[in-house]
Amino acid sequence: MTRIAPRATSHAGDRLADGLRVFALPPPEIGDVRSVGSTMQAGEKPVTLSLRVARTSVLVAFSAVAVGVVSLVPIGMFVWLLRQLGVGSPLTEAIATALTVVAAAVGAWFAAPIAWQVNGPVASCTYVGKDGLARHTWGDPLPRVVLRFEDARALVKVVRTRQKGEMNRVEFDLRWVGRRGAFAAFRIHGFYEGEQPTAGARPEHQDYLFAVAAERAWNEWLLRKAREDVESHGALEIGRDARDLSRRARIGRGFIELFDGDRAERWSAVEVDQIHVKGGTVVIRRIDPMRGTRSMERRYPGSAPGAMDNESFFPLVLREIAGLPVEQREPGLGEGPRAG
């Protein structure tokens, strides 16, 4: 039986608001609930996804027909001009038909996002549990999507920042890949503009806050499993590049071994002054106390940022298990426990 932990919060980490409306119970598969989110506020009357799609389709079709009819006037004038220039009837009729279809398609293209916004949004509520994630959508035939962390192989995360006028637009895409294939077992994606959403954020920021809380819970679950592996086997292995399996790291208490093909090097925590991690690339620095300068810097290439499975978990496990002084944390979204 799932229970909501006494310390459960919103996905932003603040107290659950009185106006937050949760219309579905959390599933037992995700374990004790840590945080809750909802895009529905008290007093709202949301539409279902299927109804929103139907209404949008009607408006888009109406817009396409309207633009097509209006375009008949300039198209007719253009066809008349072509005939005055001696162009034959079959060709001008084909040109008129093609131009009408193009005009209708352009009208539908511009009308679709407007119609989608007018007829929405679809209400959803989300849960982050100790052992998984859940999303419920208001009123549709298959409203529930659940991920047990046990059923996921890896988290693939992409975060991009784009300049939009004077504001930044941050786009994020988190995909948990199932153990039995390359398809996403669970996905959270979206964007926000301007300042990073925090506690008390608006409903449209719920996807971002859900993504932050979900990644943190995933990393905490991985860390529990990693500690079990270290206790049982002395170390755990992490691939540093999903495209090159020879690039990997073996991590245990107080040490890290880095592999690049046939090359293997081991570092103990007392030998490392600074370790910088970006994606799967590791840079280790050691300072010579006699010279007062860096006497050694070793670079171990990995994947490009965003191309490593469980990218944010890598620096976390280096701090939490190997005890290494990680210089820079990966930017964007949640991470997990902080070193005490």
Side-chain angles (χ1 to χ4, degrees), residues 83-287:
R83 288 179 176 175
Q84 297 301 311
L85 296 175
V87 180
S89 179
L91 180 58
T92 56
E93 290 178 359
I95 293 174
T97 301
L99 291 177
T100 303
V101 170
V102 169
V106 170
W109 175 266
F110 283 100
I114 299 174
W116 183 258
Q117 290 297 325
V118 168
N119 287 291
V122 175
S124 66
C125 63
T126 51
Y127 293 98
V128 173
K130 178 182 177 183
D131 300 315
L133 312 172
R135 179 194 289 115
H136 295 264
T137 304
W138 175 265
D140 281 319
L142 296 174
R144 192 182 78 166
V145 182
V146 178
L147 172 71
R148 292 194 318 153
F149 290 150
E150 189 71 42
D151 298 331
R153 177 176 57 82
L155 167 61
V156 180
K157 178 181 71 173
V158 178
V159 180
R160 295 190 179 95
T161 302
R162 305 179 188 276
Q163 190 70 28
K164 187 178 180 181
E166 297 181 353
M167 293 191 304
N168 286 333
R169 174 188 172 103
V170 178
E171 301 171 354
F172 56 92
D173 187 358
L174 279 68
R175 292 181 293 114
W176 280 264
V177 181
R179 294 187 178 276
R180 298 185 178 180
F183 297 101
F186 199 94
R187 185 183 183 194
I188 309 173
H189 63 103
F191 69 92
Y192 69 87
E193 296 176 350
E195 296 183 0
Q196 186 179 38
T198 55
R202 299 188 300 273
E204 58 265 32
H205 291 151
Q206 284 298 317
D207 284 338
Y208 173 80
L209 300 174
F210 181 35
V212 172
E215 184 181 19
R216 184 176 295 118
W218 167 250
N219 283 341
E220 290 175 356
W221 186 86
L222 286 179
L223 188 60
R224 292 199 301 271
K225 297 297 181 182
R227 284 171 171 153
E228 292 174 4
D229 287 345
V230 171
E231 191 68 28
S232 302
H233 309 293
L236 75 148
E237 285 200 0
I238 293 179
R240 302 192 341 260
D241 191 336
R243 299 163 298 185
D244 186 351
L245 300 181
S246 69
R247 292 177 172 175
R248 63 191 194 279
R250 186 170 179 268
I251 302 165
R253 299 204 180 278
F255 75 88
I256 179 174
E257 290 180 330
L258 293 155
F259 299 87
D260 290 280
D262 296 332
R263 175 190 176 193
E265 293 186 357
R266 179 183 174 112
W267 291 80
S268 65
V270 296
E271 294 178 294
V272 179
D273 290 303
Q274 291 178 337
I275 181 167
H276 175 84
V277 180
K278 190 171 183 63
T281 298
V282 178
V283 179
I284 294 179
R285 301 186 181 103
R286 186 177 182 185
I287 299 175

